[in-house]
Amino acid sequence: MTFHYNFGIMFLDVIVLKIKKVVIIFFITITIFTICFFLFKPNFYLMNKTSEVSEEYIPKVKVKNAFFDLSSKVVIDNLVDNDKIGTYKIICHLNYFFLSWEKTFEVEVKDSQSPTIELIGPQEVTVCPSKTYEELGYKAIDNYDQDLTDKVNVLKSKDKIVYSVKDNSNNEFTIERKIIYQDLENPVINLKGEKEITIYQGSKYTEMGYEAIDNCDSNLTDKVLITNNLDINKIGEYEITYEVEDLSGNKGIAKRKVIVKKKPTYPKGDGVIYLTFDDGPSNLTSQVLDILDRENVKATFFVISANELTKRAYQSGHTIGLHSNTHNYKYIYTSETNYFQDLKAIQDKVYNVTGYRSMLIRFPGGSSNTVSKYYKKGIMTNLVKEVLNRGYNYFDWNIDSNDAGSDIKNSSKIYSNVISNLSPNKTNVVLLHDASNHQATLKALPDIIAFGKSHGYTFKAITDDTPVVRHYVNN
Ligand code: ZN
């Protein structure tokens, strides 16, 4: 029994021991297996969990276990819409270690960029001290929320304006505009009339006017101060100074030059009248010559052509002067060369008809003409010198019959214009015209001659001995 008993006990002991062993082995296996599992298990990491909106999102996923980097084996489902703010998923798949692994991450697409405000106009504005700043405008743009101009908050204070705006993701932007109250611009004085004027000694200077304008204080004309050292009785050059100051102390200045010239003194006349006829010969020339012949009056013809009538005039003792071949202001006053070419042409024509080389000139428009300014500045100044250098003589006039002006059809006005200006104490050079539309001149001529004769005048043609009558040159 004991044996049995002992055997029975021993048998039990063996069983228990076996079970213990199995259990221990089991737990060791489980432990090893678990350790292996965790050593070989892939771990997923997402390096970039946020993305800026509208920028391309490329997930940076790393997969590792204790031994290997498995990142290159991962397949990713990228569900991110990078054009829209939001939270998205990416799903990572990996087949490894006889298993399929999967890991889902969340990615946030954010707007972290600030909007910007663009100021219209400068960031530093200068405003007249007397005025207030008027908003020049602005524009607010956000990369994601687009136009935010309506949401701009404008804060005005005395010397600056602060513009701020927030986008829907609470990104903020602020910009300042500085306001400087000052007037740095000088007022401007605009002179009316010429900036340089010439007047005769002893005559009166008349102010032609001026206007003073300021950027801030508008019209300052009343505040202009005028100073000058003008002595109208003394020949010389003078300056009239116009000065004005605005409310900020900026000064404006303008100057006008006044040249006081000697009054032209005509050589003492001897009761002679020099009738001069411009622009012929014409269909009236023969009648003009008839009248002059009948009255035994000598005159001067400044011609623009030459024909038999020119020859007749020359042979009757009248003087033939040179006016122009073309009488085209634009041509003759564009260059000195043109002028002399034209002069030579009319001189040749006269020579061919009369055999006489005339050296007497009358400039188209007179030497005082201003029309030549449009074609060449200073040309008259050059021409009057140059014609004298070349041995020519030129005459203007001191009595204008106005027969080429408003009185062209009015013979009694032409008559009175002439006779009212005659003086026994001057060289009376009378401007008349010999051209087809000057019937009124023809009609007035006998009366002018009659008046002259009855008042003790004699009529002569201009010669080299005639005291010159010349205008002041204006160009
Ligand atoms: Zn003319």
Side-chain angles (χ1 to χ4, degrees):
M1 271 308 277
T2 306
F3 173 81
H4 271 125
Y5 171 78
N6 282 345
F7 183 82
I9 288 177
M10 276 177 68
F11 185 73
L12 263 177
D13 280 351
V14 168
I15 295 275
V16 167
L17 269 175
K18 277 214 167 171
I19 287 172
K20 268 187 181 173
K21 210 173 169 184
V22 165
V23 167
I24 286 166
I25 288 169
F26 177 76
F27 277 105
I28 287 170
T29 308
I30 289 291
T31 304
I32 289 170
F33 193 82
T34 305
I35 287 168
C36 283
F37 179 81
F38 280 104
L39 285 174
F40 283 93
K41 174 188 177 280
N43 294 306
F44 292 77
Y45 307 95
L46 177 62
M47 313 310 287
N48 48 351
K49 289 186 177 153
T50 60
S51 172
E52 185 64 29
V53 70
S54 80
E55 282 174 16
E56 194 189 352
Y57 177 69
I58 301 166
K60 288 180 188 153
V61 175
K62 284 207 167 157
V63 185
K64 283 178 184 171
N65 59 19
F67 309 106
F68 306 109
D69 185 333
L70 306 166
S71 305
S72 60
K73 297 196 162 98
V74 178
V75 176
I76 301 169
D77 284 339
N78 182 356
L79 305 177
V80 172
D81 178 357
N82 51 3
D83 287 332
K84 252 169 113 176
I85 288 174
T87 307
Y88 300 93
K89 284 186 173 143
I90 65 165
I91 306 159
C92 308
H93 305 274
L94 177 71
N95 289 316
Y96 180 66
F97 206 64
F98 318 114
L99 288 169
S100 273
W101 307 83
E102 194 179 291
K103 171 77 179 174
T104 300
F105 289 107
E106 282 200 337
V107 174
E108 201 188 343
V109 174
K110 295 198 292 191
D111 172 18
S112 60
Q113 262 190 50
S114 297
T116 56
I117 299 175
E118 276 174 34
L119 297 184
I120 297 169
Q123 210 173 338
E124 206 176 284
V125 181
T126 304
V127 177
C128 288
S130 54
K131 291 177 184 163
T132 50
Y133 167 75
E134 268 177 51
E135 182 51 52
L136 296 172
Y138 48 85
K139 226 170 139 181
I141 303 271
D142 185 57
N143 61 317
Y144 185 69
D145 301 318
Q146 312 287 329
D147 194 335
L148 295 175
T149 306
D150 291 347
K151 296 194 173 163
V152 173
N153 183 36
V154 180
L155 201 76
K156 290 187 185 184
S157 61
K158 169 108 180 83
D159 55 357
K160 70 179 176 186
I161 294 169
V162 180
Y163 307 80
S164 56
V165 72
K166 267 185 191 175
D167 67 11
N168 293 326
S169 303
N170 257 351
N171 300 302
E172 196 174 357
F173 184 82
T174 300
I175 190 170
E176 275 183 23
R177 200 197 298 265
K178 206 170 163 191
I179 311 289
I180 300 164
Y181 291 91
Q182 62 180 6
D183 173 12
L184 293 176
E185 252 179 73
N186 292 334
V188 174
I189 300 175
N190 296 315
L191 298 183
K192 291 177 184 168
E194 300 287 315
K195 284 190 176 161
E196 184 179 316
I197 59 163
T198 301
I199 50 177
Y200 292 137
Q201 187 180 12
S203 61
K204 199 178 157 238
Y205 169 73
T206 310
E207 177 53 47
M208 284 172 284
Y210 48 85
E211 197 181 35
I213 303 285
D214 187 57
N215 61 319
C216 286
D217 307 328
S218 59
N219 199 309
L220 296 173
T221 305
D222 291 349
K223 296 188 173 162
V224 173
L225 286 175
I226 304 179
T227 51
N228 70 68
N229 57 353
L230 184 60
D231 182 352
I232 203 73
N233 293 314
K234 222 174 128 190
I235 290 163
E237 290 189 7
Y238 301 91
E239 219 168 52
I240 300 177
T241 307
Y242 306 76
E243 279 176 290
V244 74
E245 202 175 296
D246 69 13
L247 294 176
S248 302
N250 301 304
K251 281 179 187 167
I253 193 161
K255 286 180 177 189
R256 199 193 305 269
K257 192 169 169 186
V258 179
I259 301 162
V260 176
K261 274 196 171 169
K262 193 172 187 304
K263 197 167 183 172
T265 47
Y266 298 109
K268 199 165 165 59
D270 47 3
V272 181
I273 297 171
Y274 298 88
L275 298 178
T276 67
F277 296 89
D278 285 8
D279 298 351
S282 73
N283 59 342
L284 301 181
T285 309
S286 71
Q287 293 169 75
V288 171
L289 289 173
D290 288 347
I291 293 167
L292 297 176
D293 284 355
R294 193 177 68 222
E295 298 289 339
N296 196 22
V297 159
K298 300 299 174 221
T300 306
F301 293 85
F302 290 100
V303 298
I304 59 169
S305 175
N307 59 19
E308 278 305 303
L309 292 165
T310 316
K311 188 176 174 182
R312 178 187 156 189
Y314 175 69
Q315 288 177 344
S316 307
H318 304 293
T319 294
I320 309 299
L322 311 171
H323 193 35
S324 173
N325 189 48
T326 60
H327 209 289
N328 179 337
Y329 291 115
K330 187 180 175 184
Y331 175 71
I332 62 175
Y333 292 142
T334 293
S335 76
E336 286 81 354
T337 310
N338 286 4
Y339 176 81
F340 280 104
Q341 234 163 37
D342 176 272
L343 183 67
K344 171 101 171 37
I346 187 62
Q347 189 188 44
D348 287 349
K349 279 185 183 172
V350 170
Y351 178 78
N352 290 339
V353 167
T354 63
Y356 165 69
R357 195 159 286 283
S358 175
M359 294 298 281
L360 179 67
I361 293 171
R362 172 168 284 159
F363 290 104
S367 65
S368 58
N369 80 76
T370 51
V371 66
S372 56
K373 272 186 200 173
Y374 298 110
Y375 308 118
K376 187 175 178 183
K377 274 221 150 176
I379 192 168
M380 293 315 300
T381 308
N382 295 340
L383 287 179
V384 295
K385 255 187 245 161
E386 190 54 26
V387 295
L388 299 179
N389 284 345
R390 298 190 188 195
Y392 291 94
N393 186 11
Y394 75 89
F395 265 78
D396 289 303
W397 57 89
N398 54 16
I399 298 174
D400 184 355
S401 70
N402 198 29
D403 72 337
S406 52
D407 297 328
I408 185 165
K409 305 263 185 233
N410 191 335
S411 60
S412 60
K413 281 286 282 184
I414 292 168
Y415 168 76
S416 66
N417 291 338
V418 174
I419 63 147
S420 62
N421 284 294
L422 290 171
S423 163
N425 297 319
K426 74 181 191 196
T427 304
N428 300 284
V429 178
V430 180
L431 174 65
L432 297 160
H433 287 82
D434 167 21
S436 58
N437 50 347
H438 288 275
Q439 303 282 354
T441 305
L442 188 70
K443 201 173 163 220
L445 184 57
D447 295 335
I448 292 168
I449 294 170
F451 178 93
K453 284 185 171 173
S454 65
H455 287 77
Y457 292 94
T458 51
F459 290 86
K460 287 185 182 173
I462 292 173
T463 66
D464 290 341
D465 302 325
T466 306
V468 290
V469 171
R470 292 172 184 165
H471 295 164
Y472 274 101
V473 172
N474 284 312
N475 174 30

